[in-house]
Amino acid sequence: MSVASVRRAARESVAGLPREFWWLWTSTLVNRLGAFVATFMTLYLTLERGYSASFVGLVVALHGLGGVVSSLVAGVLTDRLGRRPTLLAAQASTAFSVALLGFMEHPAAIAAVALLVGMTSNASRPAVQAMLADIVRPEDRVRAFALNYWAINLGYAVSASVAGFVAEYSYLAGFLGEAALTLVCAVLVFLKLPESRPHRTAAEKAAAGPEVRLGTVLRDGRFMGVVGLSFLISLIFMQGSFGLPLAMGAAGFSTADYGLVIAVNGVLIVVLQIPVTRFIEHRDPQKLLVISALLAGYGFGLTAFGGSVWSLALTVCVWTLAEIINSPVQMGLVARLSPTHGRGRYQGMYTMSWAVASLIAPLMAGFAIEHFGAAWLWGATAALGTIAAAGYWLLMRGLPQGEPAAGEGGAPGLTVASKPASPAAEASSPAGA
């Protein structure tokens, strides 16, 4: 491939997305560049503070529990107050709580503030995802979600390496650094991002029927099916952070070996996310989600046969490809099924599926490896991948092609447009979507 063709492909990958998207993308990148707490909390509590493994497990669980609670609350606020105020409040409170955590001394205070950090740091996700769906045209959403996911992983890859050196100097500096970068994100949102929540006239409200509430989301069978499948897929992917290091440690591999193997995941996402997304962008989402579920399940399943660092790295290549495909396509499906004026609640419920999985995945990995052996864990991931693939195939049968009309997607009892809105119609809508 020539340099000119690479440049042309790069231009096409970023072309046509609104300026507001790029400010949101920049905010995401800056936020992930400062991801210190999520990466080094365990090491901080064990090496710096000297706490026991059981206490560390409690703190990590409370951090995850905070994310579960805030997913729904932030989703409601995103619809009621707006995307921008929710995002600003989440980022400002995250900066405060992360800085506060660095100064906590008493175990109870550390646990309480860790819960607060989990709540505040997760609260921005429904707002970000709803805003992205608001400002990006339906036909560009898979590409936009992929670029946002790419920014998350690029930022995390850089922060993990830099934060390691910062931690050697001072853990407190890491906490304060994350707080400062999160405040930069809040400033970017305040200065550059307008509110994107669509407004309805009185006539539109009357025609749309009752307001979307959490009960509406729970009664939306197809969407809750997506939430359930997202939970299964999350359980699989999170074994890269929980099950894989435990299994490799039990098999006699070193922490350096695990670092080398898991680094393949981040490198491949940074290198392949954009070109793979260009290839899959306009292909059948049902087939893509089925394929990604099978690749995820059996990619982890192959770990049972990995006897060396390089063979384990090859299995990571398989499930990383699944992650690259699944993430933007699934988030595009969530946006498609979410009614325009209920996107916050829908995105909050979707975000909660990942938060709950982050609580259960380490318990699942520890129990399976301790009582049955690692091979049973990898067999379970293969089974979950098969179930998820069948679920996607059944769930998306009969789903009309194209995007839901404004205000109609996903809500029970409402119809779905069989064709996407014309570009002119989308341009004249309040949020461009």
Side-chain angles (χ1 to χ4, degrees), residues 71-81 83 126 130 197 211-218 223 227 338-339 341-352:
S71 297
L72 297 180
V73 175
V76 174
L77 294 177
T78 296
D79 284 337
R80 287 190 175 180
L81 301 181
R83 285 61 158 142
R197 180 180 58 168
E211 180 185 353
V212 176
R213 300 183 182 277
L214 284 178
T216 312
V217 184
L218 292 172
F223 181 80
V227 171
S338 305
H341 299 282
R343 279 182 180 144
R345 289 173 173 85
Y346 273 69
Q347 292 289 355
M349 187 66 71
Y350 171 69
T351 301
M352 190 186 70

PDB file of all heavy atoms in Angstrom, residues 71-81 83 126 130 197 211-218 223 227 338-339 341-352:
ATOM      1  N   SER A  71     -24.388   4.616  36.987  1.00  0.00           N
ATOM      2  CA  SER A  71     -24.812   4.422  35.597  1.00  0.00           C
ATOM      3  C   SER A  71     -26.259   4.834  35.404  1.00  0.00           C
ATOM      4  O   SER A  71     -26.603   5.570  34.468  1.00  0.00           O
ATOM      5  CB  SER A  71     -24.623   2.954  35.188  1.00  0.00           C
ATOM      6  OG  SER A  71     -23.280   2.581  35.227  1.00  0.00           O
ATOM      7  N   LEU A  72     -27.138   4.357  36.287  1.00  0.00           N
ATOM      8  CA  LEU A  72     -28.558   4.668  36.161  1.00  0.00           C
ATOM      9  C   LEU A  72     -28.854   6.116  36.539  1.00  0.00           C
ATOM     10  O   LEU A  72     -29.618   6.802  35.858  1.00  0.00           O
ATOM     11  CB  LEU A  72     -29.380   3.719  37.033  1.00  0.00           C
ATOM     12  CG  LEU A  72     -29.308   2.230  36.659  1.00  0.00           C
ATOM     13  CD1 LEU A  72     -30.160   1.408  37.613  1.00  0.00           C
ATOM     14  CD2 LEU A  72     -29.760   2.011  35.227  1.00  0.00           C
ATOM     15  N   VAL A  73     -28.240   6.587  37.629  1.00  0.00           N
ATOM     16  CA  VAL A  73     -28.482   7.965  38.066  1.00  0.00           C
ATOM     17  C   VAL A  73     -28.028   8.947  37.001  1.00  0.00           C
ATOM     18  O   VAL A  73     -28.745   9.901  36.647  1.00  0.00           O
ATOM     19  CB  VAL A  73     -27.767   8.242  39.398  1.00  0.00           C
ATOM     20  CG1 VAL A  73     -27.911   9.707  39.782  1.00  0.00           C
ATOM     21  CG2 VAL A  73     -28.316   7.343  40.500  1.00  0.00           C
ATOM     22  N   ALA A  74     -26.831   8.736  36.460  1.00  0.00           N
ATOM     23  CA  ALA A  74     -26.311   9.630  35.430  1.00  0.00           C
ATOM     24  C   ALA A  74     -27.143   9.562  34.156  1.00  0.00           C
ATOM     25  O   ALA A  74     -27.305  10.575  33.459  1.00  0.00           O
ATOM     26  CB  ALA A  74     -24.855   9.290  35.122  1.00  0.00           C
ATOM     27  N   GLY A  75     -27.679   8.385  33.846  1.00  0.00           N
ATOM     28  CA  GLY A  75     -28.548   8.267  32.678  1.00  0.00           C
ATOM     29  C   GLY A  75     -29.795   9.127  32.800  1.00  0.00           C
ATOM     30  O   GLY A  75     -30.206   9.808  31.851  1.00  0.00           O
ATOM     31  N   VAL A  76     -30.410   9.104  33.986  1.00  0.00           N
ATOM     32  CA  VAL A  76     -31.593   9.933  34.228  1.00  0.00           C
ATOM     33  C   VAL A  76     -31.238  11.418  34.152  1.00  0.00           C
ATOM     34  O   VAL A  76     -31.940  12.217  33.522  1.00  0.00           O
ATOM     35  CB  VAL A  76     -32.214   9.593  35.602  1.00  0.00           C
ATOM     36  CG1 VAL A  76     -33.346  10.558  35.928  1.00  0.00           C
ATOM     37  CG2 VAL A  76     -32.731   8.152  35.612  1.00  0.00           C
ATOM     38  N   LEU A  77     -30.127  11.798  34.766  1.00  0.00           N
ATOM     39  CA  LEU A  77     -29.710  13.206  34.749  1.00  0.00           C
ATOM     40  C   LEU A  77     -29.377  13.671  33.335  1.00  0.00           C
ATOM     41  O   LEU A  77     -29.615  14.832  32.980  1.00  0.00           O
ATOM     42  CB  LEU A  77     -28.500  13.405  35.665  1.00  0.00           C
ATOM     43  CG  LEU A  77     -28.745  13.195  37.158  1.00  0.00           C
ATOM     44  CD1 LEU A  77     -27.447  13.362  37.940  1.00  0.00           C
ATOM     45  CD2 LEU A  77     -29.809  14.152  37.679  1.00  0.00           C
ATOM     46  N   THR A  78     -28.822  12.773  32.536  1.00  0.00           N
ATOM     47  CA  THR A  78     -28.493  13.126  31.155  1.00  0.00           C
ATOM     48  C   THR A  78     -29.735  13.528  30.380  1.00  0.00           C
ATOM     49  O   THR A  78     -29.701  14.456  29.556  1.00  0.00           O
ATOM     50  CB  THR A  78     -27.794  11.941  30.463  1.00  0.00           C
ATOM     51  OG1 THR A  78     -26.543  11.687  31.114  1.00  0.00           O
ATOM     52  CG2 THR A  78     -27.541  12.215  28.991  1.00  0.00           C
ATOM     53  N   ASP A  79     -30.848  12.842  30.636  1.00  0.00           N
ATOM     54  CA  ASP A  79     -32.105  13.188  29.965  1.00  0.00           C
ATOM     55  C   ASP A  79     -32.778  14.399  30.595  1.00  0.00           C
ATOM     56  O   ASP A  79     -33.356  15.226  29.897  1.00  0.00           O
ATOM     57  CB  ASP A  79     -33.066  11.990  30.002  1.00  0.00           C
ATOM     58  CG  ASP A  79     -32.677  10.906  29.007  1.00  0.00           C
ATOM     59  OD1 ASP A  79     -31.981  11.225  28.029  1.00  0.00           O
ATOM     60  OD2 ASP A  79     -33.060   9.743  29.217  1.00  0.00           O
ATOM     61  N   ARG A  80     -32.717  14.513  31.916  1.00  0.00           N
ATOM     62  CA  ARG A  80     -33.453  15.585  32.607  1.00  0.00           C
ATOM     63  C   ARG A  80     -32.711  16.921  32.577  1.00  0.00           C
ATOM     64  O   ARG A  80     -33.279  17.954  32.228  1.00  0.00           O
ATOM     65  CB  ARG A  80     -33.731  15.181  34.048  1.00  0.00           C
ATOM     66  CG  ARG A  80     -34.800  14.112  34.185  1.00  0.00           C
ATOM     67  CD  ARG A  80     -35.196  13.932  35.640  1.00  0.00           C
ATOM     68  NE  ARG A  80     -36.300  12.990  35.774  1.00  0.00           N
ATOM     69  CZ  ARG A  80     -36.846  12.645  36.934  1.00  0.00           C
ATOM     70  NH1 ARG A  80     -36.387  13.184  38.063  1.00  0.00           N
ATOM     71  NH2 ARG A  80     -37.845  11.790  36.985  1.00  0.00           N
ATOM     72  N   LEU A  81     -31.441  16.905  32.957  1.00  0.00           N
ATOM     73  CA  LEU A  81     -30.667  18.145  33.026  1.00  0.00           C
ATOM     74  C   LEU A  81     -29.990  18.478  31.712  1.00  0.00           C
ATOM     75  O   LEU A  81     -29.760  19.645  31.404  1.00  0.00           O
ATOM     76  CB  LEU A  81     -29.607  18.043  34.129  1.00  0.00           C
ATOM     77  CG  LEU A  81     -30.109  17.788  35.552  1.00  0.00           C
ATOM     78  CD1 LEU A  81     -28.924  17.743  36.516  1.00  0.00           C
ATOM     79  CD2 LEU A  81     -31.112  18.850  35.974  1.00  0.00           C
ATOM     80  N   ARG A  83     -27.020  16.742  28.540  1.00  0.00           N
ATOM     81  CA  ARG A  83     -25.748  16.035  28.422  1.00  0.00           C
ATOM     82  C   ARG A  83     -24.603  16.861  29.013  1.00  0.00           C
ATOM     83  O   ARG A  83     -23.774  16.367  29.773  1.00  0.00           O
ATOM     84  CB  ARG A  83     -25.422  15.760  26.949  1.00  0.00           C
ATOM     85  CG  ARG A  83     -26.201  14.648  26.271  1.00  0.00           C
ATOM     86  CD  ARG A  83     -27.676  14.825  26.217  1.00  0.00           C
ATOM     87  NE  ARG A  83     -28.292  14.029  25.157  1.00  0.00           N
ATOM     88  CZ  ARG A  83     -29.450  13.430  25.267  1.00  0.00           C
ATOM     89  NH1 ARG A  83     -30.123  13.503  26.413  1.00  0.00           N
ATOM     90  NH2 ARG A  83     -29.958  12.770  24.254  1.00  0.00           N
ATOM     91  N   PRO A 126     -22.758   7.704  30.284  1.00  0.00           N
ATOM     92  CA  PRO A 126     -24.041   7.855  29.581  1.00  0.00           C
ATOM     93  C   PRO A 126     -24.152   9.200  28.860  1.00  0.00           C
ATOM     94  O   PRO A 126     -24.701   9.269  27.750  1.00  0.00           O
ATOM     95  CB  PRO A 126     -25.079   7.742  30.709  1.00  0.00           C
ATOM     96  CG  PRO A 126     -24.392   6.966  31.777  1.00  0.00           C
ATOM     97  CD  PRO A 126     -22.963   7.395  31.716  1.00  0.00           C
ATOM     98  N   ALA A 130     -24.598   9.480  24.865  1.00  0.00           N
ATOM     99  CA  ALA A 130     -25.811  10.128  24.370  1.00  0.00           C
ATOM    100  C   ALA A 130     -25.457  11.343  23.508  1.00  0.00           C
ATOM    101  O   ALA A 130     -26.076  11.569  22.463  1.00  0.00           O
ATOM    102  CB  ALA A 130     -26.696  10.558  25.543  1.00  0.00           C
ATOM    103  N   ARG A 197     -28.848  17.959  23.694  1.00  0.00           N
ATOM    104  CA  ARG A 197     -30.124  17.289  23.937  1.00  0.00           C
ATOM    105  C   ARG A 197     -31.203  17.910  23.050  1.00  0.00           C
ATOM    106  O   ARG A 197     -31.433  19.119  23.084  1.00  0.00           O
ATOM    107  CB  ARG A 197     -30.529  17.425  25.401  1.00  0.00           C
ATOM    108  CG  ARG A 197     -31.852  16.743  25.752  1.00  0.00           C
ATOM    109  CD  ARG A 197     -32.200  16.898  27.220  1.00  0.00           C
ATOM    110  NE  ARG A 197     -32.280  18.306  27.615  1.00  0.00           N
ATOM    111  CZ  ARG A 197     -32.786  18.705  28.774  1.00  0.00           C
ATOM    112  NH1 ARG A 197     -33.203  17.815  29.653  1.00  0.00           N
ATOM    113  NH2 ARG A 197     -32.829  19.987  29.076  1.00  0.00           N
ATOM    114  N   GLU A 211     -43.502  10.202  28.785  1.00  0.00           N
ATOM    115  CA  GLU A 211     -42.059  10.425  28.852  1.00  0.00           C
ATOM    116  C   GLU A 211     -41.343   9.095  29.106  1.00  0.00           C
ATOM    117  O   GLU A 211     -41.849   8.213  29.801  1.00  0.00           O
ATOM    118  CB  GLU A 211     -41.741  11.395  29.991  1.00  0.00           C
ATOM    119  CG  GLU A 211     -40.260  11.691  30.158  1.00  0.00           C
ATOM    120  CD  GLU A 211     -39.986  12.566  31.366  1.00  0.00           C
ATOM    121  OE1 GLU A 211     -40.970  13.038  31.982  1.00  0.00           O
ATOM    122  OE2 GLU A 211     -38.809  12.756  31.700  1.00  0.00           O
ATOM    123  N   VAL A 212     -40.162   8.974  28.494  1.00  0.00           N
ATOM    124  CA  VAL A 212     -39.356   7.774  28.699  1.00  0.00           C
ATOM    125  C   VAL A 212     -38.812   7.774  30.125  1.00  0.00           C
ATOM    126  O   VAL A 212     -38.192   8.736  30.563  1.00  0.00           O
ATOM    127  CB  VAL A 212     -38.192   7.726  27.692  1.00  0.00           C
ATOM    128  CG1 VAL A 212     -37.285   6.526  27.982  1.00  0.00           C
ATOM    129  CG2 VAL A 212     -38.719   7.648  26.267  1.00  0.00           C
ATOM    130  N   ARG A 213     -39.057   6.686  30.857  1.00  0.00           N
ATOM    131  CA  ARG A 213     -38.555   6.528  32.217  1.00  0.00           C
ATOM    132  C   ARG A 213     -37.767   5.225  32.298  1.00  0.00           C
ATOM    133  O   ARG A 213     -37.698   4.462  31.317  1.00  0.00           O
ATOM    134  CB  ARG A 213     -39.710   6.529  33.219  1.00  0.00           C
ATOM    135  CG  ARG A 213     -40.536   7.830  33.178  1.00  0.00           C
ATOM    136  CD  ARG A 213     -41.625   7.827  34.251  1.00  0.00           C
ATOM    137  NE  ARG A 213     -42.431   9.049  34.171  1.00  0.00           N
ATOM    138  CZ  ARG A 213     -42.105  10.209  34.720  1.00  0.00           C
ATOM    139  NH1 ARG A 213     -40.966  10.302  35.401  1.00  0.00           N
ATOM    140  NH2 ARG A 213     -42.882  11.255  34.595  1.00  0.00           N
ATOM    141  N   LEU A 214     -37.178   4.966  33.468  1.00  0.00           N
ATOM    142  CA  LEU A 214     -36.432   3.714  33.613  1.00  0.00           C
ATOM    143  C   LEU A 214     -37.330   2.506  33.401  1.00  0.00           C
ATOM    144  O   LEU A 214     -36.893   1.479  32.866  1.00  0.00           O
ATOM    145  CB  LEU A 214     -35.778   3.659  34.996  1.00  0.00           C
ATOM    146  CG  LEU A 214     -34.526   4.525  35.194  1.00  0.00           C
ATOM    147  CD1 LEU A 214     -34.030   4.410  36.622  1.00  0.00           C
ATOM    148  CD2 LEU A 214     -33.424   4.112  34.222  1.00  0.00           C
ATOM    149  N   GLY A 215     -38.592   2.624  33.837  1.00  0.00           N
ATOM    150  CA  GLY A 215     -39.533   1.529  33.590  1.00  0.00           C
ATOM    151  C   GLY A 215     -39.730   1.279  32.112  1.00  0.00           C
ATOM    152  O   GLY A 215     -39.914   0.128  31.679  1.00  0.00           O
ATOM    153  N   THR A 216     -39.709   2.349  31.310  1.00  0.00           N
ATOM    154  CA  THR A 216     -39.819   2.206  29.852  1.00  0.00           C
ATOM    155  C   THR A 216     -38.661   1.383  29.317  1.00  0.00           C
ATOM    156  O   THR A 216     -38.842   0.500  28.464  1.00  0.00           O
ATOM    157  CB  THR A 216     -39.811   3.595  29.186  1.00  0.00           C
ATOM    158  OG1 THR A 216     -40.729   4.453  29.843  1.00  0.00           O
ATOM    159  CG2 THR A 216     -40.176   3.479  27.719  1.00  0.00           C
ATOM    160  N   VAL A 217     -37.463   1.670  29.817  1.00  0.00           N
ATOM    161  CA  VAL A 217     -36.281   0.931  29.369  1.00  0.00           C
ATOM    162  C   VAL A 217     -36.402  -0.541  29.750  1.00  0.00           C
ATOM    163  O   VAL A 217     -36.140  -1.433  28.939  1.00  0.00           O
ATOM    164  CB  VAL A 217     -35.006   1.535  29.983  1.00  0.00           C
ATOM    165  CG1 VAL A 217     -33.771   0.839  29.435  1.00  0.00           C
ATOM    166  CG2 VAL A 217     -34.927   3.035  29.711  1.00  0.00           C
ATOM    167  N   LEU A 218     -36.823  -0.810  30.979  1.00  0.00           N
ATOM    168  CA  LEU A 218     -36.926  -2.195  31.448  1.00  0.00           C
ATOM    169  C   LEU A 218     -37.973  -2.988  30.677  1.00  0.00           C
ATOM    170  O   LEU A 218     -37.858  -4.205  30.539  1.00  0.00           O
ATOM    171  CB  LEU A 218     -37.253  -2.206  32.946  1.00  0.00           C
ATOM    172  CG  LEU A 218     -36.154  -1.686  33.874  1.00  0.00           C
ATOM    173  CD1 LEU A 218     -36.675  -1.561  35.295  1.00  0.00           C
ATOM    174  CD2 LEU A 218     -34.936  -2.604  33.836  1.00  0.00           C
ATOM    175  N   PHE A 223     -34.205  -4.129  23.645  1.00  0.00           N
ATOM    176  CA  PHE A 223     -33.066  -3.407  24.196  1.00  0.00           C
ATOM    177  C   PHE A 223     -32.500  -4.117  25.418  1.00  0.00           C
ATOM    178  O   PHE A 223     -31.272  -4.211  25.577  1.00  0.00           O
ATOM    179  CB  PHE A 223     -33.455  -1.976  24.568  1.00  0.00           C
ATOM    180  CG  PHE A 223     -32.306  -1.182  25.115  1.00  0.00           C
ATOM    181  CD1 PHE A 223     -31.380  -0.624  24.259  1.00  0.00           C
ATOM    182  CD2 PHE A 223     -32.119  -1.038  26.482  1.00  0.00           C
ATOM    183  CE1 PHE A 223     -30.287   0.074  24.753  1.00  0.00           C
ATOM    184  CE2 PHE A 223     -31.040  -0.337  26.981  1.00  0.00           C
ATOM    185  CZ  PHE A 223     -30.122   0.227  26.110  1.00  0.00           C
ATOM    186  N   VAL A 227     -28.736  -5.443  26.464  1.00  0.00           N
ATOM    187  CA  VAL A 227     -28.065  -5.240  27.755  1.00  0.00           C
ATOM    188  C   VAL A 227     -27.581  -6.580  28.320  1.00  0.00           C
ATOM    189  O   VAL A 227     -26.453  -6.691  28.808  1.00  0.00           O
ATOM    190  CB  VAL A 227     -29.008  -4.534  28.750  1.00  0.00           C
ATOM    191  CG1 VAL A 227     -28.407  -4.508  30.151  1.00  0.00           C
ATOM    192  CG2 VAL A 227     -29.314  -3.118  28.288  1.00  0.00           C
ATOM    193  N   SER A 338     -32.215   3.315  20.968  1.00  0.00           N
ATOM    194  CA  SER A 338     -32.562   4.278  22.022  1.00  0.00           C
ATOM    195  C   SER A 338     -33.408   5.412  21.447  1.00  0.00           C
ATOM    196  O   SER A 338     -33.009   6.045  20.477  1.00  0.00           O
ATOM    197  CB  SER A 338     -31.292   4.877  22.636  1.00  0.00           C
ATOM    198  OG  SER A 338     -30.427   3.869  23.093  1.00  0.00           O
ATOM    199  N   PRO A 339     -34.565   5.714  22.041  1.00  0.00           N
ATOM    200  CA  PRO A 339     -35.353   6.858  21.585  1.00  0.00           C
ATOM    201  C   PRO A 339     -34.582   8.148  21.820  1.00  0.00           C
ATOM    202  O   PRO A 339     -33.865   8.291  22.814  1.00  0.00           O
ATOM    203  CB  PRO A 339     -36.618   6.792  22.438  1.00  0.00           C
ATOM    204  CG  PRO A 339     -36.225   6.016  23.650  1.00  0.00           C
ATOM    205  CD  PRO A 339     -35.181   5.040  23.190  1.00  0.00           C
ATOM    206  N   HIS A 341     -35.247  11.080  22.875  1.00  0.00           N
ATOM    207  CA  HIS A 341     -35.452  11.812  24.125  1.00  0.00           C
ATOM    208  C   HIS A 341     -35.314  10.919  25.357  1.00  0.00           C
ATOM    209  O   HIS A 341     -35.690  11.330  26.446  1.00  0.00           O
ATOM    210  CB  HIS A 341     -36.817  12.499  24.100  1.00  0.00           C
ATOM    211  CG  HIS A 341     -36.931  13.486  22.967  1.00  0.00           C
ATOM    212  ND1 HIS A 341     -36.359  14.731  23.011  1.00  0.00           N
ATOM    213  CD2 HIS A 341     -37.518  13.373  21.748  1.00  0.00           C
ATOM    214  CE1 HIS A 341     -36.601  15.364  21.871  1.00  0.00           C
ATOM    215  NE2 HIS A 341     -37.300  14.571  21.094  1.00  0.00           N
ATOM    216  N   GLY A 342     -34.781   9.721  25.166  1.00  0.00           N
ATOM    217  CA  GLY A 342     -34.518   8.840  26.302  1.00  0.00           C
ATOM    218  C   GLY A 342     -33.137   8.227  26.232  1.00  0.00           C
ATOM    219  O   GLY A 342     -32.869   7.225  26.884  1.00  0.00           O
ATOM    220  N   ARG A 343     -32.266   8.839  25.437  1.00  0.00           N
ATOM    221  CA  ARG A 343     -30.947   8.250  25.226  1.00  0.00           C
ATOM    222  C   ARG A 343     -30.142   8.137  26.514  1.00  0.00           C
ATOM    223  O   ARG A 343     -29.390   7.193  26.702  1.00  0.00           O
ATOM    224  CB  ARG A 343     -30.166   9.088  24.205  1.00  0.00           C
ATOM    225  CG  ARG A 343     -30.550   8.775  22.771  1.00  0.00           C
ATOM    226  CD  ARG A 343     -29.733   9.587  21.787  1.00  0.00           C
ATOM    227  NE  ARG A 343     -30.142   9.253  20.422  1.00  0.00           N
ATOM    228  CZ  ARG A 343     -30.198  10.118  19.429  1.00  0.00           C
ATOM    229  NH1 ARG A 343     -29.873  11.392  19.646  1.00  0.00           N
ATOM    230  NH2 ARG A 343     -30.565   9.741  18.215  1.00  0.00           N
ATOM    231  N   GLY A 344     -30.267   9.097  27.404  1.00  0.00           N
ATOM    232  CA  GLY A 344     -29.506   9.043  28.644  1.00  0.00           C
ATOM    233  C   GLY A 344     -29.852   7.816  29.461  1.00  0.00           C
ATOM    234  O   GLY A 344     -28.956   7.098  29.931  1.00  0.00           O
ATOM    235  N   ARG A 345     -31.135   7.555  29.642  1.00  0.00           N
ATOM    236  CA  ARG A 345     -31.556   6.393  30.433  1.00  0.00           C
ATOM    237  C   ARG A 345     -31.140   5.094  29.744  1.00  0.00           C
ATOM    238  O   ARG A 345     -30.702   4.137  30.403  1.00  0.00           O
ATOM    239  CB  ARG A 345     -33.072   6.428  30.638  1.00  0.00           C
ATOM    240  CG  ARG A 345     -33.538   7.541  31.601  1.00  0.00           C
ATOM    241  CD  ARG A 345     -35.052   7.614  31.625  1.00  0.00           C
ATOM    242  NE  ARG A 345     -35.563   8.532  32.648  1.00  0.00           N
ATOM    243  CZ  ARG A 345     -35.707   9.838  32.469  1.00  0.00           C
ATOM    244  NH1 ARG A 345     -35.364  10.383  31.312  1.00  0.00           N
ATOM    245  NH2 ARG A 345     -36.185  10.605  33.443  1.00  0.00           N
ATOM    246  N   TYR A 346     -31.306   5.037  28.436  1.00  0.00           N
ATOM    247  CA  TYR A 346     -30.919   3.833  27.703  1.00  0.00           C
ATOM    248  C   TYR A 346     -29.405   3.608  27.793  1.00  0.00           C
ATOM    249  O   TYR A 346     -28.950   2.478  28.024  1.00  0.00           O
ATOM    250  CB  TYR A 346     -31.361   3.944  26.240  1.00  0.00           C
ATOM    251  CG  TYR A 346     -32.785   3.472  25.997  1.00  0.00           C
ATOM    252  CD1 TYR A 346     -33.872   4.183  26.484  1.00  0.00           C
ATOM    253  CD2 TYR A 346     -33.040   2.304  25.290  1.00  0.00           C
ATOM    254  CE1 TYR A 346     -35.177   3.748  26.270  1.00  0.00           C
ATOM    255  CE2 TYR A 346     -34.344   1.860  25.058  1.00  0.00           C
ATOM    256  CZ  TYR A 346     -35.400   2.589  25.557  1.00  0.00           C
ATOM    257  OH  TYR A 346     -36.693   2.150  25.346  1.00  0.00           O
ATOM    258  N   GLN A 347     -28.624   4.678  27.595  1.00  0.00           N
ATOM    259  CA  GLN A 347     -27.175   4.536  27.684  1.00  0.00           C
ATOM    260  C   GLN A 347     -26.751   4.201  29.110  1.00  0.00           C
ATOM    261  O   GLN A 347     -25.778   3.460  29.316  1.00  0.00           O
ATOM    262  CB  GLN A 347     -26.502   5.833  27.217  1.00  0.00           C
ATOM    263  CG  GLN A 347     -26.664   6.141  25.736  1.00  0.00           C
ATOM    264  CD  GLN A 347     -25.853   5.215  24.847  1.00  0.00           C
ATOM    265  OE1 GLN A 347     -25.078   4.386  25.324  1.00  0.00           O
ATOM    266  NE2 GLN A 347     -26.037   5.341  23.547  1.00  0.00           N
ATOM    267  N   GLY A 348     -27.458   4.737  30.106  1.00  0.00           N
ATOM    268  CA  GLY A 348     -27.147   4.405  31.488  1.00  0.00           C
ATOM    269  C   GLY A 348     -27.356   2.928  31.775  1.00  0.00           C
ATOM    270  O   GLY A 348     -26.535   2.291  32.453  1.00  0.00           O
ATOM    271  N   MET A 349     -28.454   2.365  31.271  1.00  0.00           N
ATOM    272  CA  MET A 349     -28.717   0.936  31.471  1.00  0.00           C
ATOM    273  C   MET A 349     -27.660   0.092  30.771  1.00  0.00           C
ATOM    274  O   MET A 349     -27.182  -0.918  31.317  1.00  0.00           O
ATOM    275  CB  MET A 349     -30.109   0.590  30.941  1.00  0.00           C
ATOM    276  CG  MET A 349     -30.561  -0.832  31.239  1.00  0.00           C
ATOM    277  SD  MET A 349     -30.802  -1.153  33.011  1.00  0.00           S
ATOM    278  CE  MET A 349     -32.288  -0.175  33.326  1.00  0.00           C
ATOM    279  N   TYR A 350     -27.272   0.514  29.573  1.00  0.00           N
ATOM    280  CA  TYR A 350     -26.229  -0.218  28.840  1.00  0.00           C
ATOM    281  C   TYR A 350     -24.898  -0.150  29.594  1.00  0.00           C
ATOM    282  O   TYR A 350     -24.203  -1.163  29.752  1.00  0.00           O
ATOM    283  CB  TYR A 350     -26.084   0.377  27.445  1.00  0.00           C
ATOM    284  CG  TYR A 350     -24.896  -0.144  26.677  1.00  0.00           C
ATOM    285  CD1 TYR A 350     -24.846  -1.459  26.234  1.00  0.00           C
ATOM    286  CD2 TYR A 350     -23.812   0.685  26.389  1.00  0.00           C
ATOM    287  CE1 TYR A 350     -23.746  -1.937  25.529  1.00  0.00           C
ATOM    288  CE2 TYR A 350     -22.715   0.218  25.692  1.00  0.00           C
ATOM    289  CZ  TYR A 350     -22.688  -1.095  25.257  1.00  0.00           C
ATOM    290  OH  TYR A 350     -21.603  -1.556  24.570  1.00  0.00           O
ATOM    291  N   THR A 351     -24.529   1.039  30.077  1.00  0.00           N
ATOM    292  CA  THR A 351     -23.292   1.193  30.835  1.00  0.00           C
ATOM    293  C   THR A 351     -23.299   0.328  32.089  1.00  0.00           C
ATOM    294  O   THR A 351     -22.261  -0.221  32.493  1.00  0.00           O
ATOM    295  CB  THR A 351     -23.095   2.668  31.223  1.00  0.00           C
ATOM    296  OG1 THR A 351     -23.058   3.468  30.037  1.00  0.00           O
ATOM    297  CG2 THR A 351     -21.816   2.872  32.007  1.00  0.00           C
ATOM    298  N   MET A 352     -24.462   0.186  32.710  1.00  0.00           N
ATOM    299  CA  MET A 352     -24.560  -0.616  33.922  1.00  0.00           C
ATOM    300  C   MET A 352     -24.201  -2.070  33.668  1.00  0.00           C
ATOM    301  O   MET A 352     -23.662  -2.752  34.552  1.00  0.00           O
ATOM    302  CB  MET A 352     -25.974  -0.523  34.508  1.00  0.00           C
ATOM    303  CG  MET A 352     -26.078  -1.128  35.906  1.00  0.00           C
ATOM    304  SD  MET A 352     -27.762  -1.183  36.536  1.00  0.00           S
ATOM    305  CE  MET A 352     -28.471  -2.446  35.476  1.00  0.00           C
TER     306      MET A 352
END
